[in-house]
Amino acid sequence: MNYQKLTDDFQTKYLIPYGMYEKEQTRSYHKDRRKVANWQYDELNDQYTDPDGIIFTFHHYSTRHDRYGYERQFKVYRSVKYFEDPKRETLATTKSGNRRQISVKIGFTLKTRRRNG
């Protein structure tokens, strides 16, 4: 939000790294199998593949609103069903039996401005 204010209101380019920048540069971050950034992405089919071979296909768009008046937009991906392979099916579902899903941020916009005072 602060970066958006710098670019919109002050027309400046910022040199401040974002909060996760330092952590994303570490070796352990690049080797973490849980990070979606380390998964394979197929742009043609719009799907992600995790290191275990579970495929996540696009399911729907989602919008979240925060307390500062910003609207964040996400693409939600859900794991496909593996009826023929019970091992992969257990990897594709949660402990409660639901399909695993991931949300990938695609953007944010300022919906309303808060008034001071």
Side-chain angles (χ1 to χ4, degrees):
M1 293 172 285
N2 294 334
Y3 299 129
Q4 189 72 30
K5 181 154 181 75
L6 284 173
T7 56
D8 291 348
D9 295 344
F10 301 110
Q11 284 80 34
T12 61
K13 296 200 180 246
Y14 45 86
L15 300 174
I16 305 165
Y18 54 93
M20 287 290 295
Y21 179 78
E22 296 292 331
K23 189 166 192 164
E24 286 176 355
Q25 305 309 310
T26 62
R27 182 176 296 153
S28 62
Y29 184 88
H30 288 283
K31 289 184 175 183
D32 192 350
R33 299 167 49 93
R34 296 172 293 161
K35 305 290 185 206
V36 176
N38 298 331
W39 294 5
Q40 292 179 4
Y41 177 67
D42 180 8
E43 190 172 347
L44 183 63
N45 297 320
D46 193 18
Q47 64 186 18
Y48 285 89
T49 305
D50 76 353
D52 294 323
I54 305 302
I55 298 172
F56 291 80
T57 57
F58 174 74
H59 189 261
H60 66 275
Y61 289 99
S62 173
T63 303
R64 298 182 193 164
H65 303 276
D66 66 8
R67 62 182 173 181
Y68 301 109
Y70 282 87
E71 183 177 272
R72 296 181 294 159
Q73 299 172 352
F74 294 87
K75 289 178 83 174
V76 178
Y77 294 83
R78 283 204 180 149
S79 62
V80 297
K81 295 184 180 186
Y82 294 97
F83 295 112
E84 69 283 351
D85 189 0
K87 181 181 178 189
R88 293 182 92 190
E89 182 63 26
T90 57
L91 291 172
T93 56
T94 62
K95 290 179 182 178
S96 60
N98 297 323
R99 312 280 349 136
R100 283 178 50 206
Q101 70 179 24
I102 57 171
S103 298
V104 178
K105 185 165 54 170
I106 57 175
F108 68 94
T109 57
L110 181 61
K111 187 72 172 173
T112 58
R113 290 196 180 257
R114 291 177 49 177
R115 290 187 170 179
N116 294 338

